[in-house]
Amino acid sequence: MSFSSDIKRELSAFEAYGREPLKAELYGMLLFGKTFREDKIVFTTESADAARRITMLLTNLYMPIIEKQTALRAKTSQSRLFKISLIDSGECKKIFEDFGHSGKQINLRVNRANVSSEELSAAFVRGVFLSCGSVSDPMKGYHAEFCVPHKNLAADLCKILKEVTECDFMPKTVLRGGNYIVYFKGSEQICDLLTYIGAPIGAMEIMGTKAVKQVRNNVNRRINGEMANIGKVASASARQIEAINIIKQKYGLEALPDDLREIAYLRLENPEMSLRDLGQNLNPPISRSGANHRIQRLLEYAGVTEDKNNG
């Protein structure tokens, strides 16, 4: 079950009251479905929930004769295609005209009389999403889109979304495979969209997933930073021990001044220690800066140079 399927299941369970919101939702499904003409109405979907939803809406609002067909998709035996058709052309014409359309129209456009309020707009967009919408799995990314077959309908949908007063929607459009894709990027925009059309649980899942990903990224960054620091300490320590061994072979550590001899022995015994820890284990303890100064003097004795910030 995909994340989009879960969203459509939640939307299909949305309880709308009153004829007008139900009609606006049905309008969104039909207008952005496969075929919406005065002589033919066909709705196809891969979502069983969307198929049940449009059947319920048609039956409650118009009681037409409906033909239901189910077929396996050619690409995979696990995906089914649901086809809802109206048999009687007279009933098609009645529904087509009831939404304010006529056969004389050259191009289908959204009849704004059917989406004349915020409530009706939300119901309409819910229907559009059930018809042609999808949302990516939030674990993989943040992307929501409507796959619209006609340019004018895509433009009308964008306009309706931008007019929503309670949300600052900024949809974008791109042409892909002959269809116009109206899409959103960013978790906040997608969460607002899902909440607006009636899928708050899906929106909360996206927010929860985002929080988990942020914590995981913070932990990974911290671990990577600590590993990098450990690597720097180990590399610096190895060069310091090499320098101390050079001094040991050439002059002997006893030839060193007391302060350098003390830190040389401490470094040989504790290769994993940072400069700060080395300084704290001297007698008396000194700062990291003081420990670094003594190490640099040791390196000068050995004729070795090193980045003073390491360790």
Side-chain angles (χ1 to χ4, degrees):
M1 184 72 70
S2 68
F3 186 69
S4 281
S5 297
D6 293 338
I7 296 298
K8 290 188 177 182
R9 174 165 294 181
E10 183 180 358
L11 292 177
S12 295
F14 185 86
E15 294 185 4
Y17 300 96
R19 178 180 175 84
E20 292 308 310
L22 292 174
K23 185 178 175 182
E25 182 179 336
L26 176 61
Y27 183 51
M29 297 184 79
L30 292 177
L31 188 62
F32 286 75
K34 181 177 178 59
T35 305
F36 184 53
R37 302 199 310 257
E38 67 172 348
D39 62 336
K40 187 177 183 180
I41 294 177
V42 178
F43 179 83
T44 59
T45 179
E46 292 183 6
S47 169
D49 297 292
R52 283 191 290 269
R53 182 75 169 185
I54 195 170
T55 300
M56 179 273 290
L57 292 172
L58 283 167
T59 301
N60 287 352
L61 294 170
Y62 297 104
M63 298 184 65
I65 301 174
I66 298 173
E67 180 182 63
K68 305 176 186 177
Q69 295 176 307
T70 304
L72 291 175
R73 299 283 288 189
K75 295 182 180 179
T76 170
S77 60
Q78 296 180 343
S79 177
R80 293 181 177 274
L81 186 67
F82 301 91
K83 181 178 179 181
I84 309 299
S85 307
L86 270 63
I87 303 236
D88 191 295
S89 59
E91 291 179 335
C92 292
K93 184 176 181 179
K94 175 185 174 183
I95 294 172
F96 193 73
E97 292 178 346
D98 192 45
F99 283 113
H101 293 282
S102 72
K104 297 179 181 180
Q105 292 173 311
I106 299 175
N107 296 313
L108 276 179
R109 301 295 298 264
V110 175
N111 181 1
R112 297 300 294 268
N114 296 310
V115 287
S116 57
S117 68
E118 285 280 344
E119 180 186 13
L120 297 184
S121 292
F124 172 77
V125 177
R126 179 167 59 253
V128 177
F129 188 91
L130 285 169
S131 177
C132 63
S134 64
V135 185
S136 62
D137 186 336
M139 288 300 296
K140 299 178 181 177
Y142 305 113
H143 181 89
E145 68 179 40
F146 301 86
C147 184
V148 185
H150 305 294
K151 182 178 181 179
N152 289 333
L153 285 181
D156 289 345
L157 177 60
C158 285
K159 186 175 181 180
I160 290 171
L161 288 168
K162 290 177 181 178
E163 290 174 355
V164 176
T165 57
E166 61 188 77
C167 302
D168 187 23
F169 288 137
M170 296 297 292
K172 296 181 180 180
T173 306
V174 65
L175 183 62
R176 185 207 301 156
N179 292 310
Y180 294 86
I181 308 301
V182 177
Y183 68 95
F184 292 90
K185 291 284 189 183
S187 58
E188 292 184 5
Q189 285 270 296
I190 295 172
C191 286
D192 287 345
L193 174 66
L194 295 183
T195 302
Y196 175 67
I197 62 178
I201 295 175
M204 289 176 62
E205 185 172 344
I206 290 176
M207 290 187 285
T209 301
K210 182 179 180 181
V212 170
K213 288 167 71 174
Q214 287 177 335
V215 170
R216 183 179 298 163
N217 289 338
N218 289 337
V219 170
N220 287 339
R221 279 195 296 268
R222 187 174 302 170
I223 291 174
N224 291 338
E226 290 177 354
M227 291 301 294
N229 288 335
I230 291 172
K232 288 173 65 177
V233 169
S235 177
S237 177
R239 297 199 66 189
Q240 293 160 13
I241 290 173
E242 179 185 4
I244 293 169
N245 285 329
I246 290 174
I247 296 171
K248 188 175 182 180
Q249 293 172 5
K250 284 186 176 181
Y251 316 108
L253 297 184
E254 296 305 320
L256 291 170
D258 291 344
D259 57 344
L260 299 188
R261 185 170 61 252
E262 181 185 14
I263 199 170
Y265 278 119
L266 188 61
R267 168 53 83 202
L268 290 174
E269 294 169 359
N270 302 278
E272 79 287 351
M273 276 189 181
S274 65
L275 289 175
R276 182 174 285 103
D277 291 336
L278 282 176
Q280 291 300 307
N281 281 275
L282 294 173
N283 187 20
I286 61 175
S287 67
R288 179 191 183 282
S289 176
N292 185 55
H293 179 68
R294 293 189 187 183
I295 288 293
Q296 295 304 317
R297 288 169 59 197
L298 280 174
L299 296 175
E300 290 173 4
Y301 267 95
V304 175
T305 59
E306 183 184 60
D307 184 352
K308 295 184 179 182
N309 294 322
N310 283 343

